[in-house]
Amino acid sequence: MPTLERLATRHAPALLRFERMNREYFARFVPDRGDDYFDEFADRLTDLLKEQDSGMCHFHVLVDEDGTVLGRFNLVDVADGSAELGYRVAERATGRGVAREGVRRVCALARDEYGLRRLVASAALANPASLAVLRRTGFVPVEEVLIGGEPCLRHVLDLTAHS
């Protein structure tokens, strides 16, 4: 059973491998991170961990029994009991409920460990699987938005109603 772990320095090699192996797959749904992301990965990870230590964000990786990262589940822009959820799952793990389970787990952490009351998440209209994950985990669509020029649907989850 994969475990959801708070991002730490020890995840760096597996996380970089995850991002590299799935780069083309992710680019089908979200803007590519660019070569600089990979070239400066160590510095970027250091910055993310500083943000996490400050409480502004909570980053998580879903790790398989062999240490392979299957997904990322992040809570960013934490303020006033709210945060934005973002997630991505390895192509090889799609269609197995991995994204849905990861979202459920990070929502429980958001409520029980981080004291959050509300999460916001957006998914591209061109990504029906991600939209389905949000619906199946209790998120309610609230408005269409443009993200990176792509039409998306913003969702909200009231964590106080899901205890």
Side-chain angles (χ1 to χ4, degrees), residues 3-133:
T3 58
L4 187 67
E5 301 176 6
R6 191 165 171 87
L7 183 63
T9 304
R10 66 185 164 79
H11 295 115
L15 182 57
L16 181 56
R17 195 166 33 258
F18 164 83
E19 292 290 351
R20 281 190 174 141
M21 289 180 65
N22 293 284
R23 183 177 182 179
E24 287 182 26
Y25 172 67
F26 294 148
R28 291 185 222 162
F29 306 106
V30 294
D32 183 65
R33 294 179 185 242
D35 292 338
D36 288 348
Y37 174 84
F38 297 95
D39 295 342
E40 300 166 6
F41 183 81
D43 292 336
R44 176 71 179 129
L45 181 61
T46 298
D47 291 344
L48 290 176
L49 293 174
K50 286 179 185 175
E51 285 181 47
Q52 182 166 263
D53 289 344
S54 76
M56 294 171 31
C57 301
H58 303 286
F59 303 106
H60 305 86
V61 288
L62 189 66
V63 181
D64 214 351
E65 293 85 5
D66 65 1
T68 302
V69 172
L70 297 176
R72 298 181 73 166
F73 298 86
N74 301 322
L75 301 169
V76 299
D77 299 332
V78 175
D80 300 322
S82 183
E84 183 150 346
L85 168 68
Y87 61 93
R88 53 179 53 200
V89 172
E91 183 175 21
R92 74 175 186 88
T94 60
R96 301 183 352 214
V98 171
R100 184 177 60 236
E101 184 59 26
V103 168
R104 281 187 180 140
R105 289 184 195 179
V106 82
C107 289
L109 281 173
R111 181 190 62 234
D112 301 337
E113 298 295 322
Y114 309 135
L116 299 177
R117 298 179 306 279
R118 179 178 182 264
L119 295 180
V120 176
S122 298
L125 294 179
N127 189 345
S130 192
L131 292 167
V133 166

Side-chain angles (χ1 to χ4, degrees), residues 85 103 107 119-121 133-135 137-141 155-157:
L85 168 68
V103 168
C107 289
L119 295 180
V120 176
V133 166
L134 293 175
R135 274 194 321 273
T137 53
F139 282 82
V140 176
H155 296 72
V156 172
L157 177 66

